[in-house]
Amino acid sequence: MNSPPAPKITPSPNIWRWPDLYELENRAQDSTGALWEALRGHCDWAGRDVVDIGCGDGFHLEVFGASARSVVGVEPHPPLARRARERVAGRAGVDVRQAPAQRLPLADAGADLVHARTAYFFGPGCEPGLAEAERVLRPGGTLAIIDLDAACPPYGDWMRADAPHYDPVAVESFFQRRGFDSVGVRSEWRFDARAELEAVLGIEFSPKVARRAARQVTGCAFEVGYRLRVRRRPVGLLRSR
């Protein structure tokens, strides 16, 4: 029997090429904690089992690992998976697997929260990953997808300038048709130095748009909008005996 073809993995244009610079970006993102607060409000992972899809070099694993019962980070890019393992080495209950979102190396119904942040789940085309996330969730478990809000200025304006084909309304409709509740969350990216801010803009956008963004930002911080999309796996109906 022939094995199914390997899932297509689209390289991440920022963290794959500049992991050290992306670390600065991760530290700058959500400086207000608004995203973590919103996520916890939908699914408090304390004492529960968490899967982080597209975990990169493991930045968010440490946050989940502080209170979750278990955390598994899944990352398709071998160098990032190695960095993630090094980051969480020695932390009880935290593991990293190298795999794509379309083929999670996890058992059925073993997670209370499946989390993905600005990774893979960008709208049409991510259906195989959605099916896998549903498979590994327990009944009553939560799938939480966090993405940048391309309709929210100023960051969303810069996104659409570089990707004019991206339609945030169509993407929102895609997730709504699949049963997700969606809420906007505003947070702030705050850097320690102006040079860090400009360097991060340089890996997120084309040179022209990065220069435009830098001109529009004064100081070392700017507001960024996100969409938090949440769907719970149905518990099912109890059968009477």
Side-chain angles (χ1 to χ4, degrees):
M1 181 181 295
N2 294 330
S3 300
K8 180 181 178 181
I9 300 173
T10 302
S12 175
N14 40 37
I15 191 172
W16 282 34
R17 296 178 63 187
W18 295 283
D20 292 329
L21 189 50
Y22 199 82
E23 177 76 8
L24 293 177
E25 179 173 334
N26 267 327
R27 294 187 183 281
Q29 288 194 41
D30 194 26
S31 63
T32 67
L35 276 174
W36 286 113
E37 181 180 357
L39 180 61
R40 190 175 284 108
H42 284 277
C43 181
D44 188 348
W45 54 88
R48 298 183 179 182
D49 300 308
V50 177
V51 174
D52 186 16
I53 299 178
C55 71
D57 65 359
F59 185 84
H60 299 115
L61 301 183
E62 295 178 302
V63 179
F64 289 121
S67 59
R69 175 168 52 193
S70 72
V71 183
V72 177
V74 182
E75 169 55 45
H77 190 44
L80 290 178
R82 286 195 296 270
R83 287 172 67 106
R85 291 191 185 101
E86 292 170 359
R87 185 191 287 269
V88 300
R91 292 192 67 115
V94 182
D95 190 17
V96 176
R97 314 277 177 87
Q98 182 191 323
Q102 304 96 313
R103 289 186 188 171
L104 299 177
L106 302 168
D108 295 354
D112 299 296
L113 170 64
V114 174
H115 166 269
R117 188 171 305 201
T118 61
Y120 177 76
F121 295 96
F122 301 124
C126 75
E127 293 88 345
L130 290 175
E132 274 290 87
E134 187 82 2
R135 178 183 66 79
V136 303
L137 276 174
R138 292 188 175 107
T142 301
L143 171 57
I145 298 171
I146 296 175
D147 199 9
L148 291 154
D149 188 347
C152 182
Y155 199 96
D157 297 338
W158 307 331
M159 285 178 63
R160 296 195 313 278
D162 264 347
H165 61 281
Y166 184 83
D167 184 348
V169 175
V171 171
E172 195 71 14
S173 176
F174 170 87
F175 284 105
Q176 288 178 353
R177 291 195 305 272
R178 283 155 182 82
F180 283 83
D181 293 325
S182 182
V183 61
V185 181
R186 287 181 178 261
S187 189
E188 182 183 72
W189 289 20
R190 178 168 293 277
F191 297 85
D192 292 333
R194 176 75 185 185
E196 293 178 359
L197 179 150
E198 293 184 4
V200 165
L201 291 176
I203 69 170
E204 288 294 335
F205 303 108
S206 65
K208 179 180 178 180
V209 173
R211 289 192 297 269
R212 168 188 162 187
R215 288 194 301 268
Q216 290 181 286
V217 175
T218 58
C220 296
F222 54 89
E223 190 177 62
V224 178
Y226 291 87
R227 302 300 298 179
L228 169 59
R229 302 183 173 105
V230 175
R231 186 177 73 186
R232 286 181 174 81
R233 182 174 180 181
V235 174
L237 298 177
L238 295 176
R239 295 182 179 179
S240 59
R241 294 181 179 180

